[in-house]
Amino acid sequence: MTGGSLLYSPKKVCQIIVACCMLHNLALQCQVPFLQEDGPDGGIVAAVEPVESEDEEAEEDDIDNRNTVIQQYFQ
């Protein structure tokens, strides 16, 4: 446990929050199915249902975009 302290710098935490908000809004725009499940501690856990795609090129683009976001905000 961290005892309530941040594991990242305040600047990095802000970047993580912004990235999460952007991904949330993108998921809403793309109408990604959203599920709520019971978590191990009795709380609600949000999950997204995997979307099947037959377009391998689009899937590769999605992976490239994800990697770009990771490199830009988390490294």
Side-chain angles (χ1 to χ4, degrees):
M1 300 301 272
T2 64
S5 63
L6 294 175
L7 295 176
Y8 300 101
S9 70
K11 180 180 178 182
K12 181 64 72 177
V13 171
C14 289
Q15 291 173 331
I16 292 169
I17 292 169
V18 168
C20 291
C21 291
M22 291 170 61
L23 291 171
H24 172 76
N25 290 338
L26 182 62
L28 290 176
Q29 285 178 340
C30 294
Q31 299 177 352
V32 175
F34 184 78
L35 307 173
Q36 290 186 345
E37 302 173 354
D38 291 332
D41 61 354
I44 295 176
V45 176
V48 293
E49 189 174 299
V51 177
E52 296 295 326
S53 173
E54 294 181 13
D55 188 355
E56 289 183 25
E57 187 175 324
E59 188 172 321
E60 289 176 16
D61 288 343
D62 294 340
I63 292 170
D64 290 341
N65 290 337
R66 180 192 65 199
N67 289 336
T68 300
V69 169
I70 290 170
Q71 289 173 357
Q72 183 175 358
Y73 289 102
F74 301 106
Q75 295 183 352

